[in-house]
Amino acid sequence: MSKNVKETFSGTVDAPVAPVSVPVPVPAALRARVRSLGPSMTRSMQAVAEAVAEDPAGCAALTVSDLAARTGTSEATVVRTARLLGYPGYRDLRLALAALAAQQESGAAPAVTVDIAVDDSLADVVAKLAQEEAQTLADTAAGLDVTALGSAVAALAGARRIEIYGVGASGLVAQDLAQKLSRIGLIAHAHNDPHLAVTTAVLLRPGDVAVAITHSGGTGDVIEPLRTAFEHGATTLALTARAGSPVVHYADLVLATSAARETQLRPAAMSSRTSQLLVVDCLFVGVAQQTYETAAPALAASYEALAPRHHTPVPTAKRSTTTR
């Protein structure tokens, strides 16, 4: 292997893994972090995380012992939760909570989530979806590590070859990223066939980039080609909502997307896709900026090539008046 694998991939996708080191988040990102990391936490850690997200002002006034008592957990659990959320210690989390409380008191709108009921009108469905999509985008933007984003942009901009892996809804996002990068002259391909994905990954080398898109971070068909690319020396990038998931073990760079709530009429694939597409657009714009001298002519050429197809005269349609 050309790299030290953090943990051998055994095909199991639900084994507990260590959290990824992340920069200290700004107060606005706290709720996004709680929503993103919640599913990977223990029940006691979830209790602490939910308490600080729901009542930042109240928790900011509590000592570590007080918060442990309030949530029915231990001081060690409170400290571990603070660190998993990205803070060096509980003191730093309290400072962030105080800042978030002040932000709320200044009139900033709180995060609101709404479920769609089976008897909702279409107007209500539109309003609720728009509200939830806006919250997803806000959560993603707040939790996105701009330093990691910059490193990912640089890697993509200088890549000899880019292979992108995703299945299901994430596969559609992978195709979107590949199409965007191809339009500016980069060699990029998206794969949702697991066999083809592995056969392309095994050919990657240093200077190439492999991108894995998986909301859960535990999709074996996406983890396997990323692991293969990692072992062969390619730069690896993961887009996932689960910072402690198996996929990050084979990722040089991790970009966090927003965790989504699943309901009967609103599966997670809706929010995860929205969040992933925002990150993809950020990657594309960043790469286009860095490669502007070649990207601009490539885009102009593609627009020119497609222009005639957008101006083809449409023949007048006539309904048959023949009766039988």
Side-chain angles (χ1 to χ4, degrees):
M1 295 184 186
S2 58
K3 297 183 182 180
N4 293 323
V5 180
K6 304 172 190 174
E7 181 175 307
T8 302
F9 178 64
S10 62
T12 302
V13 297
D14 56 356
V17 292
V20 173
S21 176
V22 293
V24 176
V26 296
L30 181 58
R31 280 199 184 89
R33 296 285 299 165
V34 170
R35 292 181 65 180
S36 175
L37 296 174
S40 64
M41 293 179 178
T42 63
R43 287 190 177 182
S44 57
M45 293 176 74
Q46 284 179 349
V48 175
E50 291 171 1
V52 299
E54 292 173 5
D55 184 17
C59 291
L62 301 177
T63 65
V64 64
S65 300
D66 293 337
L67 183 55
R70 175 170 172 172
T71 56
T73 62
S74 65
E75 292 182 16
T77 297
V78 172
V79 174
R80 283 198 301 269
T81 304
R83 289 176 178 168
L84 184 61
L85 290 174
Y87 301 92
Y90 180 61
R91 177 179 176 277
D92 303 276
L93 175 59
R94 285 184 69 182
L95 291 174
L97 292 175
L100 183 58
Q103 199 175 72
Q104 290 178 337
E105 288 178 5
S106 68
V112 178
T113 56
V114 286
D115 292 332
I116 296 174
V118 69
D119 57 350
D120 277 346
S121 68
L122 281 178
D124 288 338
V125 169
V126 170
K128 289 182 177 181
L129 283 177
Q131 181 174 316
E132 185 70 14
E133 297 289 330
Q135 185 63 52
T136 295
L137 293 173
D139 285 352
T140 304
L144 194 57
D145 180 352
V146 179
T147 300
L149 178 65
S151 297
V153 165
L156 291 171
R160 180 183 69 92
R161 174 179 170 187
I162 302 165
E163 303 293 341
I164 308 165
Y165 309 115
V167 297
S170 295
L172 299 176
V173 178
Q175 292 177 31
D176 183 73
L177 177 57
Q179 182 270 139
K180 282 180 164 65
L181 296 177
S182 296
R183 287 284 296 273
I184 57 175
L186 275 66
I187 300 174
H189 305 96
H191 306 282
N192 56 19
D193 180 296
H195 291 180
L196 183 58
V198 172
T199 58
T200 60
V202 77
L203 298 175
L204 297 180
R205 296 292 183 268
D208 298 328
V209 175
V211 182
I213 303 177
T214 164
H215 176 68
S216 69
T219 306
D221 287 340
V222 174
I223 294 173
E224 186 178 2
L226 191 74
R227 174 185 63 82
T228 302
F230 181 87
E231 292 173 351
H232 284 78
T235 299
T236 52
L237 167 64
L239 273 66
T240 181
R242 310 289 185 236
S245 60
V247 73
V248 305
H249 280 221
Y250 306 104
D252 295 308
L253 298 165
V254 178
L255 295 179
T257 56
S258 174
R261 298 178 310 111
E262 292 192 34
T263 64
Q264 185 178 12
L265 295 180
R266 195 180 192 288
M270 293 185 182
S271 282
S272 66
R273 182 193 60 215
T274 299
S275 181
Q276 290 167 351
L277 286 173
L278 173 60
V279 177
V280 161
D281 285 347
C282 291
L283 286 170
F284 169 70
V285 171
V287 172
Q289 287 176 320
Q290 285 204 11
T291 62
Y292 185 77
E293 289 187 4
T294 55
L299 278 174
S302 64
Y303 281 129
E304 185 177 348
L306 292 175
R309 296 178 177 272
H310 295 299
H311 299 287
T312 303
V314 178
T316 304
K318 295 182 179 179
R319 289 186 180 274
S320 174
T321 57
T322 304
T323 57
R324 296 182 182 180

